[in-house]
Amino acid sequence: MIRLGITGGIGSGKSYVSRLLRADGISVYDTDAEAKRLMLSHPSIRKDLIGLLGEDVYLDGRLNKPLLASYLFASSGNAARINGIVHPRVKEDFLSWASRQESGPVALESAILFESGFEDVVDKVIMVYAPLDVRIRRVMERDHATREQVESRIAAQMSDEEKVRRADFVIMNDGKRELQSQLSALYDALALKRLR
């Protein structure tokens, strides 16, 4: 079974490409959604977060997002501590999930695939790339955010150029090039058959 990693900066369209992969019969693991689930349900994550931030990190069985966010964004060291608790468990969960899938290819979607070390659990990395101005416009429309807010979020991520350099394949999502034909070329390069 081949394991694909899907990454891209905010507004690149990686979630849209993941939906296209699902439509072609490829199971996709969404690390954002699964990390949120695991932060609530995984006993070791709960124990470690409580040890780091105190009992108030969980209120009425839910994650105290304001407390977590204030800690996370206070320093890069704090973010690294949280990531050190969560990311290894997400990796374990992905590998367990992947082992339960049928024999076809599977994919892991993560905006921070390289930063979190998830490239270690995939065979090939696909970078979804869009020009910066397109990404900014998409996120402003989607999140009702200002240009400055979007630029700040983009600046906090690894550069697209670095992600392109480290990826095995690049899907151009600039609104001009047809995505399905690029995915077909990707499937051909990987000798994958569409499952649906």
Side-chain angles (χ1 to χ4, degrees):
M1 170 190 299
I2 189 166
R3 297 186 302 240
L4 305 173
I6 313 296
T7 196
I10 185 172
S12 64
K14 68 190 165 300
S15 295
Y16 181 69
V17 168
S18 291
R19 283 196 296 276
L20 294 176
L21 292 174
R22 284 185 186 99
D24 285 339
I26 296 173
S27 296
V28 180
Y29 182 97
D30 179 343
T31 59
D32 283 348
E34 298 303 328
K36 288 173 187 166
R37 176 185 63 81
L38 289 168
M39 288 174 84
L40 287 174
S41 65
H42 196 289
S44 294
I45 292 177
R46 288 181 70 94
K47 177 179 170 283
D48 291 349
L49 287 178
I50 289 169
L52 183 66
L53 298 171
E55 295 284 340
D56 287 346
V57 73
Y58 291 98
L59 296 175
D60 299 323
R62 289 194 297 249
L63 201 57
N64 182 344
K65 291 180 183 175
L67 174 65
L68 185 64
S70 67
Y71 179 82
L72 262 172
F73 297 116
S75 77
S76 59
N78 289 358
R81 281 185 274 286
I82 298 288
N83 293 341
I85 292 169
V86 177
H87 291 167
R89 275 60 177 242
V90 173
K91 272 187 186 183
E92 291 169 7
D93 191 67
F94 167 71
L95 291 170
S96 174
W97 171 86
S99 73
R100 295 188 306 272
Q101 304 308 303
E102 299 197 11
S103 60
V106 297
L108 173 146
E109 177 191 333
S110 176
I112 56 169
L113 185 138
F114 293 114
E115 299 93 322
S116 60
F118 292 149
E119 79 270 22
D120 295 344
V121 295
V122 297
D123 302 304
K124 298 290 180 185
V125 174
I126 301 159
M127 164 65 179
V128 181
Y129 179 88
L132 182 61
D133 60 322
V134 171
R135 293 172 58 207
I136 291 171
R137 180 176 38 81
R138 285 175 182 163
V139 179
M140 286 174 66
E141 290 171 6
R142 181 190 73 196
D143 297 350
H144 307 290
T146 66
R147 182 177 191 88
E148 293 75 25
Q149 289 170 324
V150 177
E151 287 174 342
S152 173
R153 289 165 72 184
I154 288 172
Q157 293 185 332
M158 179 185 287
S159 75
D160 274 6
E161 292 70 26
E162 177 64 13
K163 288 180 181 179
V164 165
R165 188 185 69 73
R166 294 173 67 173
D168 298 293
F169 298 94
V170 177
I171 300 288
M172 296 297 294
N173 187 21
D174 55 7
K176 298 173 186 171
R177 295 170 226 206
E178 207 270 319
L179 291 173
Q180 199 61 61
S181 61
Q182 293 182 71
L183 288 177
S184 293
L186 171 72
Y187 300 154
D188 289 345
L190 295 171
L192 300 177
K193 292 182 180 148
R194 277 200 187 115
L195 302 178
R196 291 185 188 147

